[in-house]
Amino acid sequence: MREAKSGLIINTSSMVGQISAPYFSTYAATKHALEGYLQGLRYEVASFGIDIAIVQPGPFPTGLSAAGQEPTRTDVLDSYGELAKIPAAMFEEFGKFMQSDQAPDPHMVVDAYLALADMPTGKRPTRTAVGLVWGVDEINAAKQPIQDHVLREMQLEEFLGGVDA
């Protein structure tokens, strides 16, 4: 891609890469780390004509929650008292919603990838929230200008090829 002075790298993160919820802390940490890495990489490769884009799906009926395992340390879970019941209740209600007619269509993520691929180089947004995003799109709209302002303050304007269009 560097030799060709052209390229597009799209990574799938999650809306949880911008927000964190109780009982999702480990998952959120992995997505926050991915987003931090990609934000920096976007600046590093922009001058080579390479775009980095992050797709942030909200919840979709994909079976991810069904892949979870029951906790083995029930003594730790029991120490939370009534709060220990929250994850099971959340996943039960969430599962019902994902089986309903209101559940978002996973093809929306594919459509987001295709839309990003069709955009001109240098004009792709850093982050694209998809589906039920609960305000993450608003966080994204505010975050990139702040990030770019920090680089300007650090006198690193030459890296601003990664600025959102």
Side-chain angles (χ1 to χ4, degrees):
M1 286 189 224
R2 285 174 54 150
E3 286 179 21
K5 300 254 186 248
S6 175
L8 170 60
I9 299 170
I10 304 175
N11 282 266
T12 302
S13 177
S14 168
M15 63 174 240
V16 182
Q18 294 294 331
I19 60 171
S20 297
Y23 307 105
F24 286 90
S25 55
T26 302
Y27 181 75
T30 65
K31 297 305 182 179
H32 277 76
L34 178 65
E35 296 239 358
Y37 167 70
L38 295 170
Q39 179 73 60
L41 185 62
R42 180 175 171 89
Y43 290 119
E44 293 167 15
V45 300
S47 65
F48 295 105
I50 302 168
D51 281 346
I52 302 291
I54 305 168
V55 174
Q56 302 166 307
F60 283 93
T62 62
L64 176 64
S65 60
Q69 299 177 355
E70 290 293 319
T72 57
R73 295 286 313 272
T74 56
D75 59 318
V76 173
L77 189 59
D78 291 343
S79 73
Y80 282 89
E82 288 297 308
L83 292 176
K85 297 177 184 176
I86 292 173
M90 283 175 38
F91 279 108
E92 182 179 341
E93 290 304 313
F94 191 69
K96 288 178 188 175
F97 176 74
M98 286 298 138
Q99 298 300 318
S100 75
D101 291 340
Q102 288 91 25
D105 184 352
H107 287 99
M108 294 171 69
V109 178
V110 174
D111 293 341
Y113 265 73
L114 294 173
L116 287 164
D118 286 342
M119 291 178 189
T121 300
K123 300 297 183 187
R124 296 174 176 107
T126 305
R127 292 170 177 85
T128 301
V130 182
L132 301 171
V133 296
W134 294 310
V136 169
D137 52 344
E138 295 171 41
I139 294 169
N140 291 343
K143 187 171 187 166
Q144 189 65 47
I146 295 168
Q147 176 74 31
D148 294 336
H149 175 76
V150 169
L151 289 186
R152 283 187 198 94
E153 290 291 316
M154 297 171 71
Q155 299 180 0
L156 296 172
E157 290 89 353
E158 68 269 17
F159 288 101
L160 290 177
V163 170
D164 278 347

